[in-house]
Amino acid sequence: MFRRLLYAGVLMLLVLTGCSANAESTVDSAAGTRTAEILALSRAELSKQASYSIESKKEEKTTYGAEEERKENVVSVVFNADYIVSPFTVHMITKNSEEDRVKEQYISEEDYHEHVTDGVFIKMDAQKQQKEKLSAQKFVNPYDWIDHYLVDPGSMQLSEQGEQYVLSIETSTQKASESTRQVLEQEMLDMIKLSYILDKETLLPQEVKAEFNASSKSELLQLESVSEFTTTLSNYNGVQEIVMPEAFSEQ
């Protein structure tokens, strides 16, 4: 009799545990679906915008050298860009803490003009134009990091802050999906953190934060690098025109 009661109790416990696990799985699944839906809607709304402005601040801290004499180097870069979707046109200004000059670029479907000195712009060749255009396309797309690192939208965490949604994820080579892990290993990254702040009403991205951690060790040398990006998007449909400057030919 006692054994029958004991078996019945154990069986009931297993059933309840299973129900609890299934309930948690269902909740996680529903949350992942909602996050993926919000992200998809945000992408759709962003694709409808004719233009916008971007400011991105990057700080890269690198620690290197032998264990007994570690050195640290910090580089800060600020990017400001106006972007018109069609025809593709970008005006970008870059300020680097390690350089005296400011880099100014105009990139369009067919042309690439770069400021050299005293208001003088050089028109670069087609190969340089294509390279800079591809780089600019990634820069103006705030969701490029999700695409590049094959992040599953359903695995992102969703929270709310007042009138904003916050979509975030932290993944490493240990806990990332196999496809993402392969990308991280190819780029020698240990961990990435991504955070997207969206306006609840428009679903347009307002701010994007990204952090990339990398390290490399050998018997004689140890290198660690942390790159942090803070990008703000604004002035949606507010950039009416970007005029390519007159430029000398490089050839």
Side-chain angles (χ1 to χ4, degrees), residues 62-84:
T62 305
T63 307
Y64 58 96
E67 190 66 36
E68 61 273 9
E69 50 181 24
R70 304 282 286 162
K71 298 180 181 178
E72 184 178 279
N73 184 52
V74 179
V75 178
S76 299
V77 185
V78 178
F79 309 88
N80 285 278
D82 286 333
Y83 169 50
I84 292 179

Side-chain angles (χ1 to χ4, degrees), residues 79-97:
F79 309 88
N80 285 278
D82 286 333
Y83 169 50
I84 292 179
V85 178
S86 182
F88 177 89
T89 317
V90 176
H91 175 213
M92 185 182 300
I93 297 176
T94 306
K95 300 177 182 178
N96 191 315
S97 63

Side-chain angles (χ1 to χ4, degrees), residues 79-118:
F79 309 88
N80 285 278
D82 286 333
Y83 169 50
I84 292 179
V85 178
S86 182
F88 177 89
T89 317
V90 176
H91 175 213
M92 185 182 300
I93 297 176
T94 306
K95 300 177 182 178
N96 191 315
S97 63
E98 290 192 327
E99 299 177 2
D100 292 334
R101 76 183 187 94
V102 174
K103 184 177 181 180
E104 185 173 7
Q105 305 163 280
Y106 285 83
I107 309 164
S108 70
E109 288 285 1
E110 299 178 353
D111 292 320
Y112 171 53
H113 299 174
E114 184 172 323
H115 181 257
V116 286
T117 181
D118 298 331

Side-chain angles (χ1 to χ4, degrees), residues 8-211:
V10 171
L11 180 60
M12 182 60 71
L13 179 62
L14 290 174
V15 169
L16 291 175
T17 302
C19 290
S20 176
N22 289 335
E24 290 179 3
S25 176
T26 302
V27 171
D28 290 343
S29 177
T33 300
R34 183 166 181 251
T35 302
E37 289 176 348
I38 289 175
L39 184 61
L41 289 170
S42 179
R43 284 178 178 270
E45 289 302 318
L46 185 64
S47 69
K48 298 175 185 178
Q49 306 306 303
S51 65
Y52 49 87
S53 299
I54 297 173
E55 180 181 75
S56 185
K57 299 178 181 178
K58 172 187 176 183
E59 182 172 286
E60 184 174 49
K61 182 185 295 184
T62 305
T63 307
Y64 58 96
E67 190 66 36
E68 61 273 9
E69 50 181 24
R70 304 282 286 162
K71 298 180 181 178
E72 184 178 279
N73 184 52
V74 179
V75 178
S76 299
V77 185
V78 178
F79 309 88
N80 285 278
D82 286 333
Y83 169 50
I84 292 179
V85 178
S86 182
F88 177 89
T89 317
V90 176
H91 175 213
M92 185 182 300
I93 297 176
T94 306
K95 300 177 182 178
N96 191 315
S97 63
E98 290 192 327
E99 299 177 2
D100 292 334
R101 76 183 187 94
V102 174
K103 184 177 181 180
E104 185 173 7
Q105 305 163 280
Y106 285 83
I107 309 164
S108 70
E109 288 285 1
E110 299 178 353
D111 292 320
Y112 171 53
H113 299 174
E114 184 172 323
H115 181 257
V116 286
T117 181
D118 298 331
V120 176
F121 285 82
I122 292 293
K123 181 178 179 180
M124 303 297 184
D125 60 30
Q127 185 176 0
K128 181 73 171 176
Q129 180 274 338
Q130 186 63 20
K131 179 181 177 182
E132 294 296 331
K133 181 188 174 185
L134 289 173
S135 178
Q137 284 176 321
K138 293 182 178 180
F139 174 78
V140 299
N141 175 14
Y143 294 117
D144 178 71
W145 281 317
I146 289 179
D147 298 334
H148 180 76
Y149 293 107
L150 306 176
V151 173
D152 175 16
S155 65
M156 301 184 75
Q157 300 297 312
L158 174 64
S159 60
E160 300 183 27
Q161 294 180 356
E163 300 303 314
Q164 300 170 325
Y165 288 121
V166 180
L167 282 65
S168 59
I169 188 170
E170 177 180 331
T171 190
S172 67
T173 51
Q174 285 75 38
K175 62 182 182 180
S177 66
E178 183 178 353
S179 54
T180 298
R181 186 166 62 249
Q182 289 176 354
V183 177
L184 292 176
E185 290 175 346
Q186 289 170 4
E187 300 190 10
M188 299 180 67
L189 290 175
D190 301 321
M191 182 178 67
I192 61 172
K193 298 179 183 179
L194 300 174
S195 177
Y196 291 84
I197 298 178
L198 315 179
D199 180 85
K200 278 186 179 180
E201 184 177 351
T202 65
L203 292 180
L204 291 171
Q206 296 180 319
E207 183 177 89
V208 182
K209 292 185 177 181
E211 180 181 321

